Amino acid sequence: MSEQQPQSNGPDDRDETSDLFERIVAEESDRDPDLAVIEAGSRTLRAQAGPPQGDQVSARPLDPEVARALQEVEQELATRWGETKLEPSVTRIAALMDVLGEPQRAYPSIHVTGTNGKTSTARMIEALLNAFELRTGRYTSPHVQSVTERISLDGAPISAERFIETYYDIKPYVEMVDAAEEFRLSFFEVLTGMAYAAFADAPVDAAVVEVGMGGTWDATNVIDGSVAVITPISLDHTDRLGATPGEIAQEKGGVIKQDATVILAQQPVDAAQVLLKKAVEVDATVAREGMEFGVVAREVAVGGQMLTLRGVGGEYDGIFLPLYGAHMAHNAAVALAAVEAFFGVGAEQSRELDLETVRRAFASVTSPGRMEVVRRSPTVVLDAAHNPAGAQVTAEAVTEAFGFSRLIGVVAASGGKDVKGVLEAFEPIFAEVVVTENSSHRAMSADELAAVAVEVFGPDRVQVEPRLDDALEAAITLAEEEAEYGGAGVLVTGSVITVGEARLLLKRG
């Protein structure tokens, strides 16, 4: 653990900030009015007294032999169950961990679940830990451009060579488990095993692990996360996780382990009740956004926003976050509280983290494909929103951060998603929408998506372009048609796959 810690705030400083924090509770109560009264006896965490570089997205290897070897690994992985086909159990991944010698227990972990904001929050946590000179491993999904992005060391995706080497290192053990179990390990289970093995081999000082889906039976849930982070829960994957936030919270609460610390973002009341009950059952300590920590102040700044955050150990002001939207500010508050908890702030220590280190960490954060500007004149923004709640916060963020006089949407979605809800969230801010499709086998056809879009926007505001490259060109033309070069914009959204392919087409990667 880093020794870089600041001096405690004195009593006068704490008195001066107490009024500000009272405002947090008042402001957050609009989002979750009953959170304060549904603790159900849970203990509460209260304070008693080199950063990642580049844009962190992998391009394909330049060496043709390495590229060919990576493709072979991807082809082998593709023969396994995809991420949408699940058998809800951790039996197979537990068996793999056993034959690998339990690599996931070689380092402490921060486990991140929720519906929206998981990847961005994980990246912020990673940046903070890196800034405090810890070697980190980060496992997130899905990837934007290359599968190697899912496994990162010290803030950067592992190289293609290391990805290939890790796969072949564990392949004999994977085949051993395949032979012994009723079902073969899935694509996601094998990647999870690779990540845990790579982290142990590095070795890392801490792992930041994002849940793939749910929590209880997710393949990542063979770690004993000392800190469990739960980002906002909303409706997604309802066919597998439940029809209400409360039902979904039952699954996601599975990451809360005995005696862990839970960092709880603002939640719908039914979800909060379930999660707090789970915390009581396992004697976990809870820090709640809007109570123990939160966003004190935020203002739009060039290239992002300036924040004052209240952590469990004190107040952190003058934080520049190079990401857009109120939701990113809330993600930052959650990430800060998670790292404080990891370092024992509020439980074992009464002092906050070093302010300059925290500032430096947040200033270094990137989150590719999340409110990411990839072109100017006209401005093109990429965002991976793929459910109504995500689309709503993206729409709000675009409105706040950009003064677009004319905004054109480019939307391609996966089948089985609430695309009508997504389109309805964007309808007030899109002058027109170009519907298209990405290359995934799960992609909703452009014609099917167009039928839904016409219901929401009317026929005069919908254009269909089955190819994504044609859709991008059409949207840019529409944005410019009134010659408002300074005020025109394009938002590409609908899925991570769509954003990743658009990113490649726009030469970002």
Side-chain angles (χ1 to χ4, degrees):
M1 184 179 297
S2 172
E3 294 298 318
Q4 292 180 272
Q5 300 289 342
Q7 297 297 315
S8 300
N9 283 345
D12 292 341
D13 292 331
R14 295 188 179 190
D15 290 341
E16 290 172 3
T17 60
S18 61
D19 290 341
L20 284 173
F21 191 61
E22 288 301 319
R23 294 211 318 265
I24 299 176
V25 177
E27 291 170 0
E28 298 292 355
S29 66
D30 292 337
R31 299 169 65 195
D32 192 0
D34 298 323
L35 192 56
V37 297
I38 55 175
E39 287 186 337
S42 63
R43 288 187 293 138
T44 300
L45 180 63
R46 300 184 189 275
Q48 301 300 315
Q53 302 294 324
D55 90 46
Q56 299 181 303
V57 172
S58 298
R60 300 299 296 183
L62 296 178
D63 185 324
E65 290 188 10
V66 176
R68 185 163 46 251
L70 178 60
Q71 184 177 29
E72 289 173 358
V73 170
E74 290 175 310
Q75 288 172 344
E76 287 192 23
L77 288 170
T79 65
R80 298 179 175 275
W81 280 358
E83 290 170 282
T84 59
K85 186 172 183 179
L86 304 168
E87 193 278 317
S89 167
V90 294
T91 301
R92 292 175 302 282
I93 187 67
L96 180 60
M97 293 297 99
D98 181 52
V99 296
L100 288 175
E102 304 291 346
Q104 81 282 14
R105 305 197 192 285
Y107 37 80
S109 299
I110 297 176
H111 209 175
V112 183
T113 191
T115 302
N116 292 311
K118 296 189 296 295
T119 298
S120 296
T121 302
R123 286 179 175 274
M124 293 179 195
I125 292 170
E126 174 189 51
L128 284 162
L129 294 175
N130 286 159
F132 282 100
E133 300 180 355
L134 294 189
R135 187 164 203 205
T136 57
R138 173 174 50 84
Y139 181 52
T140 53
S141 60
H143 55 275
V144 177
Q145 287 180 200
S146 172
V147 69
T148 59
E149 295 163 32
R150 297 186 181 220
I151 305 171
S152 290
L153 293 172
D154 293 327
I158 64 172
S159 66
E161 292 88 345
R162 190 161 192 171
F163 185 91
I164 295 162
E165 180 183 359
T166 302
Y167 174 74
Y168 285 113
D169 280 347
I170 75 164
K171 183 179 177 180
Y173 302 97
V174 168
E175 292 172 343
M176 187 184 307
V177 174
D178 285 343
E181 297 293 329
E182 181 180 2
F183 302 107
R184 297 170 71 215
L185 287 153
S186 69
F187 168 85
F188 187 72
E189 287 169 333
V190 175
L191 281 177
T192 302
M194 289 173 61
Y196 290 159
F199 297 162
D201 185 59
V204 301
D205 298 313
V208 184
V209 178
E210 177 189 334
V211 162
M213 186 186 298
T216 301
W217 42 259
D218 186 74
T220 63
N221 202 30
V222 288
I223 56 172
D224 293 321
S226 59
V227 178
V229 176
I230 304 178
T231 67
I233 291 173
S234 60
L235 300 182
D236 201 5
H237 302 296
T238 53
D239 56 330
R240 296 179 177 89
L241 301 179
T244 67
E247 291 177 0
I248 294 171
Q250 292 280 2
E251 289 297 332
K252 294 188 182 291
V255 304
I256 301 174
K257 304 298 172 59
Q258 187 72 36
D259 298 322
T261 299
V262 184
I263 306 301
L264 195 62
Q266 285 288 341
Q267 304 292 344
V269 174
D270 60 341
Q273 289 173 327
V274 168
L275 296 170
L276 291 169
K277 181 180 178 182
K278 172 68 174 183
V280 172
E281 291 171 354
V282 297
D283 201 26
T285 302
V286 178
R288 303 151 300 172
E289 184 184 4
M291 296 296 172
E292 285 72 49
F293 69 93
V295 180
V296 174
R298 58 180 292 270
E299 59 183 272
V300 177
V302 176
Q305 53 191 310
M306 292 297 299
L307 307 176
T308 299
L309 302 178
R310 171 76 176 189
V312 296
E315 188 167 298
Y316 303 77
D317 62 5
I319 294 173
F320 174 66
L321 181 67
L323 301 172
Y324 300 102
H327 62 298
M328 287 297 185
H330 290 286
N331 290 345
V334 170
L336 176 61
V339 173
E340 286 183 311
F342 183 82
F343 284 133
V345 173
E348 301 167 10
Q349 305 174 28
S350 60
R351 52 188 180 177
E352 67 270 20
L353 302 174
D354 179 69
L355 178 58
E356 289 305 317
T357 305
V358 170
R359 286 173 175 167
R360 188 169 70 251
F362 276 119
S364 76
V365 170
T366 64
S367 193
R370 279 79 179 177
M371 286 295 295
E372 181 185 20
V373 177
V374 294
R375 174 182 163 155
R376 298 287 186 181
S377 296
T379 300
V380 178
V381 182
L382 307 180
D383 191 88
H386 59 276
N387 56 50
Q392 184 62 48
V393 297
T394 296
E396 292 169 0
V398 169
T399 301
E400 176 187 76
F402 303 95
F404 292 132
S405 59
R406 180 176 176 79
L407 180 63
I408 307 300
V410 175
V411 180
S414 298
K417 295 291 184 179
D418 182 1
V419 293
K420 186 175 183 180
V422 169
L423 293 171
E424 286 174 340
F426 286 125
E427 190 277 332
I429 69 168
F430 286 168
E432 298 183 53
V433 61
V434 181
V435 296
T436 184
E437 57 190 86
N438 57 52
S439 65
S440 168
H441 67 280
R442 296 172 50 217
M444 175 179 285
S445 74
D447 288 340
E448 185 180 357
L449 182 56
V452 181
V454 167
E455 289 183 37
V456 176
F457 289 85
D460 294 339
R461 294 167 63 195
V462 178
Q463 181 170 331
V464 184
E465 295 288 350
R467 287 170 53 102
L468 181 56
D469 54 350
D470 292 338
L472 292 170
E473 183 176 350
I476 289 169
T477 300
L478 286 169
E480 294 176 339
E481 68 179 10
E482 294 180 12
E484 296 175 324
Y485 294 100
V490 174
L491 175 63
V492 183
T493 189
S495 82
V496 176
I497 296 168
T498 301
V499 164
E501 293 181 354
R503 207 171 189 273
L504 281 170
L505 289 166
L506 294 164
K507 309 300 184 184
R508 178 70 179 181

